[in-house]
Amino acid sequence: MQHLSGLNDKQKEAAIHKDGPLLIVAGAGAGKTKTITHRIVNLILSGVAPEKILAVTFTNKAAKEMRERILKEIGKHAKGQDSIPFVSTFHSLGVYIIKENARILGLTKYFSILDENDANALIKESLKELSLDPKQYEPRKIKNIISREKGKFIHLADYTENANDPLLSVGHMGQIVAQVWNLYEKKKTAENALDFDDLLLKATKLLKDNIKIRKIYQQKWEYIHIDEYQDTNEVQYLMSRMLSENNSNICVVGDADQNIYSWRGANLKNILSFEKDYPKAKIVLLEENYRSTKNILEAANEIIKKNKYRPDKNLFTENIIGEKIGFYEALDENDEADFVATKILEILDRANDTFSNGDDAKQDILRKSIIGSGSVSSDFFSLRTAKQLSSLEKIKENYASPAKLSEVAVLYRANFQSRALEEAMLRYNIPYQVLGVKFFERKEIKDTLGYLRAALNPESLSDIKRIINFPTRGIGKVTLAKIFAKNTENLPIKTKIKINNFYKLLGDIKEKIVTEKPSAVIKFVVKYSGIEGELSSGGEEENERLANIKELATLALKYDNLGNAKENISGIERLLEDAALASDQDSIMINERKNVPIENRGSATNIGAVKLMTVHASKGLEFKYIFITGLEDGLFPNAHEGETKINEDKEEERRLFYVALTRAKEKVFLCFANFRTIFGARCINTPSEFISDIPVDLLEKEGEKGGIKTIYI
């Protein structure tokens, strides 16, 4: 049992459980990944073949981390073991099942996976063909409705039947969605393409409808592990049930208190009803937190215990008591952002011991000096002498500690809140990273990958449309329509030559895919497609786009030796799959180059930066210092205009705040703005109810001399 020596008693109890259903209720920071990893290793050491084990999570990052931990533990305790469990995301698992059964589903193995933009474009085309105005019926909204229905395991035929049933009163919009959905599916079929939701829907339907195939995968994987079970939707729930129904050796890990994705279809009842679904299930509570201080956990427990729909659980820790939770009452969003920026400098100063914590004058200069902002009271500016500003600039120059900057995260409920915060980071020359636009969503990256997908699947009209005029080839919309209709006989000879050259290029790329490594293929595409020439002759923006493409070639090096003849998956195919399956939490954007000082541009390994992100995006992450901004009624907890939040919505907002609190290791700062300008209107705010839910003895008012102050809520 040496491999279990690093676990506490409850973690060991979960790890040694072998047969039968197991629910691990793992609180924030309780070591769930460590526990599930050691359980898998324990299964292997007890004689279970690794290939009989399946572990499924939600992000590529989480899957990679779990895979690496398993390999590390196997290397220590099971030397000579050359096979590993199947560890993937739900969507990657869907791709795997669909690829193995593509012919049954009427697909080729080179089917395309549409990203959101391509899917929305097809929806827009469908609307136009139905003589419906995309401005009246927003494609993204219709796509979201379709996605929501697919997540509930609702198929087109069922939805159409309901839409045409007058007794169900689905309304005119439901009938419109049914028409668009029908044409959308036809277009995808013609292109040999699937959207993101299809990866789960079709794989699950295949398992449900085909007993023979279902038994194949039940026998293939005898031990099933599902991470973040509280975030599963109906399709993921059904997939998990069907894969485990043969022997019920299913282990799910999750926390009802961290269910924050109902808007994406996550169903809280899945984890709350696990005991009902599996009456013989063993339940293990992981309540010891290894991340946060006692004060932070006490505040988090006080918040979450007000929720009704949750198992009885109370986190505890052996860590120190720690600092009280800071609270800052700002004048407006600019004052709030200024507080965040200057407090970050203060944290760095305290860590670097540049000047005394008790030097209130210097602290006031830092906090109150808002360059170019008129958002604070006049006494702020009375301190801004030339000498003080010069001192401030000198102080700024000294704050280049990457190790410390990366330990700070600023969280907000809504994306629009980032503007003022980003401006403050720029004013104080604080490098920052925004969790937002993903690498694979950048246009130049999607264009380059479009060439690869089109080479493998020339029937993918979405990819052809994307790349045929990038770089410009002089092929207009009318010509493009004739190409799609396979009606090119009457085109001018010059146009035919352009089309033939384009498809010859795709053929050359296909040949390179077969014979060359992925990194070499990317370089070939960039050079011979004309992308390099087009971008090289441009300005700064074009140069940055070309630099991003070159980074793609560097990334492709990781796929150079991933070809697997047995599974017939090449490095390029893996690269395309990973690009399509990349999710919000898989990567933090290195930087927004326009927003980061040039001396700080570079890779994440070369710079430190404060992280700016929504609370939703912070799930699964941890930092020493957490700022939670915008704690105003109507913003956090969020409420839609003209609507009254029902209890379930309020509970999810409270869970969201709980998640935000438990990201912190050492210190939390809460921020409230008396005024906030939203959509051009200056709003007067009342503090969030969450602030008053925290015992006053755990709060410390920031921005005033003398330490702890009474907080009036």
Side-chain angles (χ1 to χ4, degrees):
M1 292 291 187
Q2 186 179 358
H3 62 287
L4 303 176
S5 59
L7 305 182
N8 64 36
D9 291 342
K10 287 295 182 178
Q11 291 171 336
K12 284 181 183 178
E13 184 181 351
I16 64 176
H17 179 81
K18 184 177 180 181
D19 296 317
L22 171 66
L23 169 61
I24 304 174
V25 180
K32 69 176 180 68
T33 303
K34 181 179 182 180
T35 303
I36 198 169
T37 297
H38 282 75
R39 170 180 158 80
I40 290 172
V41 172
N42 189 69
L43 287 172
I44 295 171
L45 294 178
S46 66
V48 178
E51 56 269 22
K52 292 289 187 180
I53 301 172
L54 170 68
V56 186
T57 187
F58 277 81
T59 68
N60 292 325
K61 178 184 176 183
K64 180 183 178 183
E65 181 184 355
M66 188 179 296
R67 193 180 298 110
E68 289 175 347
R69 290 196 184 191
I70 292 171
L71 285 171
K72 182 180 179 180
E73 292 299 319
I74 289 176
K76 289 193 297 186
H77 305 291
K79 294 182 180 179
Q81 179 64 254
D82 55 0
S83 59
I84 63 170
F86 191 104
V87 183
S88 78
T89 64
F90 270 107
H91 289 90
S92 292
L93 177 61
V95 171
Y96 179 85
I97 294 173
I98 291 171
K99 273 199 167 185
E100 287 201 330
N101 303 277
R103 187 172 297 179
I104 297 174
L105 295 169
L107 298 164
T108 72
K109 70 169 187 167
Y110 293 124
F111 64 86
S112 296
I113 301 174
L114 303 178
D115 63 19
E116 282 299 303
N117 289 334
D118 289 335
N120 287 326
L122 279 187
I123 295 288
K124 187 175 182 179
E125 285 183 15
S126 301
L127 284 165
K128 289 180 177 179
E129 288 186 25
L130 293 167
S131 300
L132 297 169
D133 187 358
K135 293 181 180 180
Q136 181 179 359
Y137 302 102
E138 187 181 350
R140 191 173 299 277
K141 182 178 180 180
I142 291 178
K143 175 63 175 64
N144 288 340
I145 293 173
I146 295 172
S147 179
R148 182 192 65 202
E149 296 302 310
K150 287 182 177 180
K152 295 188 295 187
F153 202 62
I154 302 296
H155 298 82
L156 172 60
D158 299 324
Y159 186 87
T160 302
E161 183 179 350
N162 292 338
N164 294 323
D165 189 341
L167 298 177
L168 295 178
S169 302
V170 299
H172 177 66
M173 188 62 182
Q175 295 175 350
I176 295 294
V177 171
Q179 295 178 56
V180 175
W181 189 350
N182 181 58
L183 188 53
Y184 173 60
E185 293 298 326
K186 290 180 179 178
K187 288 180 175 294
K188 285 190 297 172
T189 300
E191 294 190 21
N192 190 39
L194 300 176
D195 63 25
F196 213 58
D197 302 303
D198 290 330
L199 303 179
L200 298 180
L201 183 69
K202 288 190 176 295
T204 303
K205 190 175 187 305
L206 181 67
L207 294 173
K208 185 175 184 295
D209 295 344
N210 196 312
I211 298 176
K212 183 179 178 180
I213 291 176
R214 183 163 78 244
K215 286 185 176 180
I216 289 173
Y217 291 105
Q218 289 173 347
Q219 293 170 2
K220 180 179 180 66
W221 298 307
E222 295 180 359
Y223 291 86
I224 313 295
H225 300 77
I226 309 296
D227 194 16
E228 303 289 2
Y229 195 64
Q230 78 280 348
D231 293 334
T232 54
N233 61 19
E234 187 66 19
V235 175
Q236 292 157 339
Y237 168 79
L238 289 173
M239 180 184 285
S240 305
R241 288 288 305 258
M242 285 187 288
L243 288 174
S244 63
E245 69 179 4
N246 189 46
N247 49 40
S248 295
N249 289 332
I250 181 171
C251 169
V252 304
V253 186
D255 182 10
D257 293 338
Q258 297 187 70
N259 172 266
I260 59 174
Y261 297 118
S262 67
W263 51 277
R264 286 199 319 212
N267 195 337
L268 183 61
K269 78 172 181 64
N270 292 346
I271 191 169
L272 294 179
S273 63
F274 186 84
E275 293 179 75
K276 182 180 178 181
D277 292 337
Y278 301 92
K280 297 181 179 180
K282 180 179 180 63
I283 315 296
V284 178
L285 296 180
L286 302 184
E287 297 176 290
E288 184 173 359
N289 176 286
Y290 294 92
R291 176 187 300 155
S292 307
T293 65
K294 290 180 178 176
N295 277 340
I296 293 172
L297 285 189
E298 185 178 348
N301 286 331
E302 287 297 319
I303 288 291
I304 203 62
K305 74 179 185 181
K306 294 182 179 293
N307 275 5
K308 177 181 178 181
Y309 302 105
R310 62 183 296 267
D312 189 18
K313 174 172 60 65
N314 202 61
L315 290 182
F316 70 93
T317 184
E318 298 299 326
N319 294 336
I320 62 172
I321 294 176
E323 297 184 57
K324 295 189 179 213
I325 293 172
F327 173 75
Y328 183 69
E329 182 176 348
L331 174 65
D332 57 18
E333 67 268 28
N334 294 313
D335 185 24
E336 177 186 62
D338 176 62
F339 164 75
V340 172
T342 56
K343 181 58 68 171
I344 290 171
L345 295 180
E346 183 181 323
I347 290 170
L348 295 176
D349 172 68
R350 186 169 58 177
N352 295 331
D353 198 26
T354 303
F355 57 90
S356 168
N357 285 335
D359 195 334
D360 290 326
K362 290 179 180 178
Q363 299 289 347
D364 282 345
I365 294 171
L366 278 173
R367 188 182 69 79
K368 297 177 179 178
S369 296
I370 302 180
I371 303 172
S373 169
S375 62
V376 294
S377 58
S378 60
D379 67 307
F380 277 31
F381 298 96
S382 66
L383 299 175
R384 297 174 65 185
T385 64
K387 183 178 180 180
Q388 288 170 331
L389 288 174
S390 175
S391 175
L392 176 64
E393 294 301 319
K394 188 174 288 187
I395 290 169
K396 287 183 190 178
E397 291 174 4
N398 293 329
Y399 289 108
S401 176
K404 300 303 177 186
L405 285 169
S406 62
E407 293 170 346
V408 181
V410 184
L411 310 183
Y412 37 84
R413 179 63 181 83
N415 276 304
F416 77 84
Q417 295 173 251
S418 72
R419 178 199 57 83
L421 293 165
E422 290 188 57
E423 290 180 358
M425 298 299 116
L426 291 171
R427 284 198 297 271
Y428 291 98
N429 201 28
I430 300 174
Y432 70 94
Q433 300 173 341
V434 178
L435 191 76
V437 180
K438 295 177 292 202
F439 179 78
F440 289 115
E441 288 184 349
R442 297 174 185 174
K443 181 183 182 304
E444 60 272 16
I445 302 301
K446 292 168 72 173
D447 289 339
T448 305
L449 296 179
Y451 275 97
L452 301 178
R453 289 194 297 266
L456 291 171
N457 180 19
E459 299 300 316
S460 177
L461 302 186
S462 297
D463 289 312
I464 298 295
K465 185 188 300 182
R466 170 179 291 281
I467 64 175
I468 198 167
N469 267 318
F470 181 75
T472 301
R473 295 184 174 88
I475 300 174
K477 292 183 178 180
V478 175
T479 301
L480 189 60
K482 290 184 178 181
I483 294 173
F484 290 172
K486 302 186 185 301
N487 182 26
T488 59
E489 291 85 2
N490 298 323
L491 290 174
I493 186 66
K494 290 184 178 179
T495 303
K496 286 183 178 180
I497 292 173
K498 293 176 182 177
I499 296 171
N500 290 337
N501 287 340
F502 172 74
Y503 279 97
K504 183 181 183 301
L505 172 63
L506 295 184
D508 292 340
I509 295 172
K510 176 67 177 294
E511 184 178 343
K512 291 292 181 181
I513 290 174
V514 175
T515 60
E516 302 284 348
K517 293 187 179 294
S519 59
V521 176
I522 298 291
K523 293 176 182 177
F524 178 89
V525 170
V526 174
K527 182 177 182 179
Y528 289 96
S529 68
I531 292 175
E532 185 175 25
E534 175 133 327
L535 296 180
S536 296
S537 59
E540 182 179 353
E541 183 177 350
E542 285 75 17
N543 290 333
E544 289 187 357
R545 292 172 63 191
L546 183 58
N548 285 332
I549 295 174
K550 290 180 178 179
E551 181 63 21
L552 178 63
T554 302
L555 173 66
L557 289 170
K558 298 180 180 180
Y559 297 82
D560 278 354
N561 298 308
L562 292 185
N564 190 326
K566 183 179 179 181
E567 295 184 357
N568 201 27
I569 298 177
S570 69
I572 282 291
E573 288 175 312
R574 289 285 296 275
L575 171 61
L576 292 174
E577 287 177 14
D578 288 350
L581 298 171
S583 60
D584 288 343
Q585 292 187 351
D586 287 339
S587 63
I588 295 176
M589 187 174 70
I590 300 306
N591 56 59
E592 291 279 355
R593 292 180 178 242
K594 293 181 180 179
N595 297 329
V596 177
I598 191 166
E599 66 270 16
N600 293 321
R601 295 176 183 177
S603 67
T605 59
N606 296 326
I607 69 168
V610 174
K611 310 300 188 296
L612 307 182
M613 68 189 78
T614 65
V615 181
H616 282 99
S618 74
K619 177 97 181 306
L621 304 177
E622 60 180 35
F623 302 90
K624 277 189 178 182
Y625 308 98
I626 289 288
F627 292 82
I628 308 174
T629 61
L631 281 166
E632 299 125 34
D633 188 45
L635 182 55
F636 199 5
N638 186 259
H640 297 289
E641 187 176 353
E643 293 184 9
T644 303
K645 282 194 134 338
I646 59 175
N647 290 335
E648 289 80 2
D649 294 330
K650 276 284 184 71
E651 291 211 354
E652 180 156 344
E653 289 292 307
R654 190 171 286 109
R655 292 195 294 269
L656 190 59
F657 185 57
Y658 172 83
V659 166
L661 285 173
T662 55
R663 299 309 94 197
K665 297 182 195 177
E666 297 183 6
K667 179 76 174 182
V668 174
F669 299 93
L670 309 179
C671 301
F672 155 73
N674 283 284
F675 301 93
R676 186 176 299 274
T677 303
I678 302 177
F679 302 123
R682 190 169 174 85
C683 304
I684 302 175
N685 304 314
T686 56
S688 168
E689 64 186 73
F690 299 151
I691 299 173
S692 60
D693 287 341
I694 299 174
V696 69
D697 61 334
L698 296 179
L699 293 170
E700 181 178 28
K701 193 161 188 179
E702 297 283 342
E704 297 184 12
K705 301 176 183 179
I708 302 173
K709 298 292 181 180
T710 302
I711 301 172
Y712 299 96
I713 308 279

